[in-house]
Amino acid sequence: MKKRILLSVLAAVALTTAADDKEATNSYMAGRTAYETGDYREAAEKFEDAELLGDSTAVKANSVLAQISAWRMCGLLYREFEAIEKLLASYPEYADFAALIQREYEIGEAYYQGRRDPSFWSLRWIPWLVDDDKSIEVFEKALSRAPFSENAPGARLRLAYLFDQKGEVKKSLEQLRTIIREFPDSPECKYAYLALGTGLYELSLRGDGDGRYNREALDVFKTFQEKYPDASENDWVRRHLILGRDVQAARLLEERGAQIMDATCPHVLRIHRLVERAEQEGRTPLIIGEDHHPEVIAAASRSSRSVVLGNAEELAEWLAAVPTRRTERLLAVAQTTCIRSIWEKCVNFLKKECTNAEIFDTICDATQKRQSEAADIAGRVDVMVVVGDRKSANTKHLSEICSTRCARVYQIEGAEELRADFLNGCSVAGLTAGASTP
């Protein structure tokens, strides 16, 4: 169908040639003959000759139109692009501007998706003997001619990625800013916010002097939350906001000459390192713990792929939602204060259901010992008292564990909350406390 349409165009073009362009006309007609027999490269070259030999603007322009058709049938994207640009620059009155710009965007997308022209026509059957990627050049030219086309946001998002891959970070970020500024209602705008905030945050980690990159990153992420309150990416955005504020706080302290010492628990730091490793290796980190706990939020922020699950039931639901997850590369860790029985159920499930999961027991030894001792005491008393902050995950887990062994468990924050009636009918009482209880 495409060939018949192009042939009808060529037939119409032939009627426009002038009598004083005989030599050009002969080349043009030779090109038509080659085109009709399927020798599109020969046809394109004959049409190029006709353009060079022609005297009238009509002959030259129609010859370039024919070149565009022939190069397209050859599948030589860049030669087609060059012919389109020649027509737009030299013979604009003969150009269907909208259709040609649309075709330039299509050529850019084809390059972006991996299409390449053969380096040598005679060796085009060798798959690795190809020319360079031309997507940046093609997209930039199309955008310069039609910056507000419906294809423009997608093209700019592609350019942002391509520039980032080349290490031209500032060019990448400018493309993202342009999408946000000029196409605020486009589907691409959402992803531009996420990519821009992430890029700025990464720049801030390298040291941005006055903290400009970090401040802009925080503003971008906050705007994303306001613009897309129901977006599934908001958990990830919240984690990056926390990290961004950490960077901001560290910069402020450095500016004031403060000596900064990282007092993070070594057990928690181990989880951070494991999640970071998963990110680098392309694994999905599974963190078994409470999604609202600061320790878990901080650990999850170390990877863009982090998944937080509360127990084996949630793990089973997550795997069932996408069956291919069972064969994905996973890495599992636990919140340091995770209840041992919950973690072990998750581990057993992963070993049974998943074929490529790395599992690291990151429950704190001291926490495990405290939980075991509390369970042992609770099994031998009438009343169990647990002392600690009600917001503490460690203390809450102790209360939950004790409740499985003792019918009467009271969690208090201090001695002033103890009441005499707690001990009614009690022969033996037990006492334990959370790890951070003074």
Side-chain angles (χ1 to χ4, degrees), residues 110-296:
Y111 275 124
Y112 182 81
Q113 296 297 336
R115 278 279 304 279
R116 298 291 182 268
D117 294 329
S119 297
F120 304 98
W121 182 252
S122 61
L123 299 175
R124 58 190 179 278
W125 50 273
I126 301 178
W128 60 84
L129 202 58
V130 294
D131 282 343
D132 295 335
D133 179 15
K134 305 288 187 182
S135 50
I136 290 179
E137 178 183 351
V138 176
F139 276 139
E140 287 190 321
K141 183 59 72 172
L143 284 166
S144 72
R145 294 191 181 281
F148 295 101
S149 161
E150 63 180 11
N151 298 294
R156 291 197 181 278
L157 201 61
R158 302 282 198 260
L159 283 173
Y161 172 78
L162 292 166
F163 283 133
D164 181 70
Q165 293 300 297
K166 291 179 64 179
E168 299 180 32
V169 179
K170 291 186 178 180
K171 284 186 178 182
S172 174
L173 298 184
E174 189 51 43
Q175 293 295 330
L176 298 170
R177 292 188 183 101
T178 301
I179 295 171
I180 292 169
R181 182 176 62 251
E182 297 180 358
F183 303 94
D185 299 321
S186 68
E188 291 82 3
C189 186
K190 174 183 177 181
Y191 302 103
Y193 271 111
L194 293 169
L196 178 60
T198 304
L200 290 165
Y201 170 71
E202 294 295 334
L203 279 178
S204 74
L205 293 179
R206 304 175 194 176
D208 58 352
D210 60 0
R212 176 172 60 89
Y213 291 132
N214 189 63
R215 286 196 299 274
E216 187 180 354
L218 292 175
D219 289 341
V220 167
F221 284 136
K222 289 174 185 175
T223 304
F224 178 89
Q225 289 181 315
E226 294 169 1
K227 189 176 177 70
Y228 307 102
D230 300 322
S232 60
E233 297 86 355
N234 269 316
D235 284 342
W236 183 85
V237 168
R238 278 190 288 272
R239 292 198 293 269
H240 272 71
L241 278 170
I242 292 170
L243 287 173
R245 293 189 186 105
D246 288 347
V247 172
Q248 201 170 44
R251 285 263 153 69
L252 181 61
L253 291 170
E254 287 172 359
E255 288 171 4
R256 296 186 178 182
Q259 182 180 3
I260 302 173
M261 299 185 69
D262 190 346
T264 306
C265 169
H267 297 291
V268 175
L269 280 177
R270 181 182 177 226
I271 298 174
H272 291 183
R273 301 295 175 261
L274 288 169
V275 174
E276 289 167 358
R277 194 186 88 182
E279 173 76 6
Q280 294 166 2
E281 295 178 353
R283 291 183 177 272
T284 298
L286 304 181
I287 304 173
I288 308 303
E290 300 173 345
D291 59 3
H292 61 277
H293 194 281
E295 176 193 318
V296 174

Side-chain angles (χ1 to χ4, degrees), residues 264-411:
T264 306
C265 169
H267 297 291
V268 175
L269 280 177
R270 181 182 177 226
I271 298 174
H272 291 183
R273 301 295 175 261
L274 288 169
V275 174
E276 289 167 358
R277 194 186 88 182
E279 173 76 6
Q280 294 166 2
E281 295 178 353
R283 291 183 177 272
T284 298
L286 304 181
I287 304 173
I288 308 303
E290 300 173 345
D291 59 3
H292 61 277
H293 194 281
E295 176 193 318
V296 174
I297 293 171
S301 70
R302 265 58 187 180
S303 171
S304 59
R305 290 184 289 270
S306 293
V307 177
V308 179
L309 302 164
N311 49 48
E313 289 72 24
E314 291 184 14
L315 173 59
E317 290 176 6
W318 182 77
L319 289 173
V322 181
T324 56
R325 286 173 175 166
R326 286 178 164 79
T327 58
E328 287 180 8
R329 302 174 71 219
L330 308 175
L331 183 146
V333 295
Q335 182 178 341
T336 56
T337 55
C338 182
I339 295 175
R340 171 62 61 182
S341 60
I342 291 177
W343 168 247
E344 288 179 348
K345 286 180 182 178
C346 291
V347 169
N348 291 335
F349 191 83
L350 282 169
K351 288 181 176 179
K352 179 181 177 182
E353 298 290 333
C354 300
T355 59
N356 195 357
E358 290 187 352
I359 301 171
F360 296 89
D361 186 343
T362 53
I363 296 177
C364 173
D365 294 337
T367 298
Q368 170 60 24
K369 182 178 179 182
R370 191 181 302 271
Q371 290 176 353
S372 297
E373 290 176 347
D376 179 60
I377 294 171
R380 296 185 283 112
V381 299
D382 302 309
V383 172
M384 191 72 184
V385 178
V386 181
V387 184
D389 191 329
R390 290 187 177 86
K391 296 179 181 178
S392 165
N394 176 270
T395 305
K396 185 177 75 172
H397 290 162
L398 282 176
S399 296
E400 292 170 355
I401 290 168
C402 290
S403 295
T404 65
R405 305 293 301 276
C406 179
R408 295 168 62 187
V409 178
Y410 300 99
Q411 182 179 338

